[in-house]
């Protein structure tokens, strides 16, 4: 929800300004007559519901050592890079890059490769939100830093 006049976000007030009914911020409400407070959706959500929302996000990532996994499996199957590339309708140069670790395949491509080679290339990874990390850093003191360095 943004202020109809200046576009700033925050608490909005139903305000009549020059015969127009607007939802504006506190600053802009001074230009007219406040008739009420605009209920924001976020205000209606109980606090505990917000806390229950996942603080980690599960995402698919390419496994470590994917390059070697692919190369070994391909060699095991007796396929040349060129043949392997043709089988999955990709360029040989792309396979070279992937197997040398210079190019991390997209999830879509990895799925195609793992289906063909019958190996696991994708794993679920839990991404922790930055917010949490920041909160922990705030609690850090110089003393803590020294302790860590000494370990
Ligand atoms: Zn405003």
């Amino acid at each position: 929800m943004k202020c109809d006049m200046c576009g700033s976000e925050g608490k909005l007030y139903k305000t009549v300004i020059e015969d127009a009914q607007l939802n504006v911020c506190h600053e802009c409400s001074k230009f007219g007559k406040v008739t009420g407070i605009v209920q924001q959706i976020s205000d209606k959500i109980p606090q505990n519901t917000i806390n229950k929302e996942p603080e980690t996000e599960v995402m698919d990532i390419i496994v470590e050592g994917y390059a070697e996994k692919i190369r070994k499996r391909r060699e095991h199957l007796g396929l040349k890079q060129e043949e392997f590339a043709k089988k999955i309708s990709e360029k040989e140069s792309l396979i070279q890059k992937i197997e040398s670790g210079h190019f991390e395949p997209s999830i879509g491509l990895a799925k195609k490769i793992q289906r063909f080679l019958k190996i696991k290339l994708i794993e679920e990874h839990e991404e922790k939100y930055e917010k949490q990390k920041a909160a922990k850093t705030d609690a850090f003191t110089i003393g803590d830093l020294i302790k860590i360095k000494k370990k």
Side-chain angles (χ1 to χ4, degrees):
M1 297 268 271
K2 284 179 180 174
C3 169
D4 287 340
M5 282 184 75
C6 70
S8 76
E9 286 188 26
K11 208 169 181 71
L12 298 181
Y13 298 81
K14 284 179 188 166
T15 310
V16 178
I17 301 170
E18 290 172 3
D19 292 323
Q21 172 78 59
L22 300 169
N23 297 332
V24 298
C25 69
H26 183 70
E27 281 303 306
C28 298
S29 71
K30 288 172 185 169
F31 297 107
K33 189 175 182 295
V34 178
T35 58
I37 292 165
V38 180
Q39 280 291 326
Q40 296 197 40
I41 300 160
S42 59
D43 287 346
K44 289 173 187 169
I45 300 168
Q47 197 61 35
N48 58 357
T49 313
I50 295 168
N51 289 341
K52 273 179 193 168
E53 269 180 37
E55 283 163 342
T56 55
E57 190 181 351
V58 178
M59 52 190 275
D60 288 339
I61 58 159
I62 307 298
V63 296
E64 266 182 56
Y66 66 89
E68 204 177 342
K69 271 192 170 190
I70 294 169
R71 184 180 57 79
K72 278 189 178 168
R73 184 66 183 159
R74 175 184 57 76
E75 285 173 353
H76 179 76
L77 293 170
L79 289 169
K80 286 176 187 166
Q81 283 185 336
E82 188 192 351
E83 293 166 329
F84 174 48
K86 272 185 190 167
K87 296 263 190 193
I88 61 163
S89 318
E90 294 294 344
K91 283 181 187 164
E92 186 187 348
S93 59
L94 182 68
I95 303 302
Q96 279 171 1
K97 276 186 210 163
I98 292 172
E99 287 192 1
S100 61
H102 288 113
F103 179 81
E104 191 176 284
S106 66
I107 296 297
L109 179 57
K111 278 182 180 168
K112 192 157 74 168
I113 295 171
Q114 74 174 5
R115 208 181 306 137
F116 180 76
L117 294 180
K118 295 182 176 68
I119 52 171
K120 189 170 149 67
L121 289 179
I122 298 166
E123 65 182 11
E124 283 186 347
H125 174 74
E126 279 190 2
E127 188 70 35
K128 291 217 190 323
Y129 283 120
E130 286 297 323
K131 257 187 213 170
Q132 257 193 332
K133 284 179 197 164
K136 276 178 190 168
T137 326
D138 284 343
F140 253 53
T141 63
I142 290 167
D144 286 327
L145 284 172
I146 292 164
K147 271 181 223 161
I148 289 164
K149 276 182 183 172
K150 278 181 180 172
K151 272 182 189 170

